[in-house]
């Protein structure tokens, strides 16, 4: 009997930087119940530019979620969001004005100042 493996993602489609992976691992390790927790990355309609990124901890995995693993960190992306993240990379930025996850998205024609929303060409 063969087992079905969850969909995986090649680095060319969507990737996770080493810094983002380290921060995800750190955040999850600080949770009271970290079993099965992953960072879910979604693209939602809204924001000041038409689409916005959403980052949240999630232990529920849908059958069609794409699972990205890097250095012990697990990131989940739904197929609809994945289409808008083609070629993008999840990064963690720690600067004077604050620390946050961000996405370097080559598909974004413009984005807001905080980097959480974007528009397509």
């Amino acid at each position: 009997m063969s087992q079905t493996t969850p969909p995986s993602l090649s680095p060319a489609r969507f990737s996770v930087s080493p810094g983002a992976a380290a921060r995800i691992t750190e955040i999850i390790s600080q949770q009271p119940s970290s079993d099965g927790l992953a960072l879910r990355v979604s693209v939602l309609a809204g924001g000041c530019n038409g689409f916005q990124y959403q980052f949240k901890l999630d232990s529920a995995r849908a059958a069609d979620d794409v699972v990205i693993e890097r250095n012990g960190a697990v990131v989940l992306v739904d197929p609809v969001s994945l289409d808008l993240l083609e070629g993008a990379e999840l990064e963690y930025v720690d600067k004077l004005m604050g620390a946050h996850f961000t996405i370097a998205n080559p598909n974004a024609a413009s984005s807001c100042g905080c980097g959480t929303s974007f528009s397509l060409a």
Side-chain angles (χ1 to χ4, degrees):
M1 175 159 62
S2 67
Q3 292 183 341
T4 303
T5 57
S8 61
L9 199 55
S10 70
R13 295 215 43 213
F14 183 65
S15 60
V16 177
S17 74
R23 183 63 180 139
I24 293 165
T25 302
E26 181 182 356
I27 290 169
I28 289 175
S29 72
Q30 296 171 353
Q31 301 306 305
S33 176
S34 61
D35 290 345
L37 271 181
L39 181 72
R40 178 171 296 282
V41 177
S42 304
V43 177
L44 308 172
C48 53
N49 279 306
F51 294 99
Q52 63 185 8
Y53 301 114
Q54 181 183 54
F55 308 103
K56 69 177 184 174
L57 294 180
D58 197 352
S59 59
R61 296 185 187 189
D64 61 350
D65 276 344
V66 176
V67 179
I68 303 144
E69 296 184 70
R70 176 155 194 175
N71 301 339
V74 178
V75 175
L76 306 174
V77 183
D78 64 272
V80 174
S81 296
L82 182 60
D83 287 343
L84 298 168
L85 295 170
E86 182 78 33
E89 181 175 49
L90 175 66
E91 298 175 344
Y92 182 73
V93 177
D94 189 356
K95 294 185 177 180
L96 183 61
M97 296 301 291
H100 61 277
F101 288 104
T102 187
I103 294 183
N105 190 343
N107 305 308
S110 64
S111 62
C112 67
C114 65
T116 60
S117 72
F118 67 100
S119 66
L120 298 174

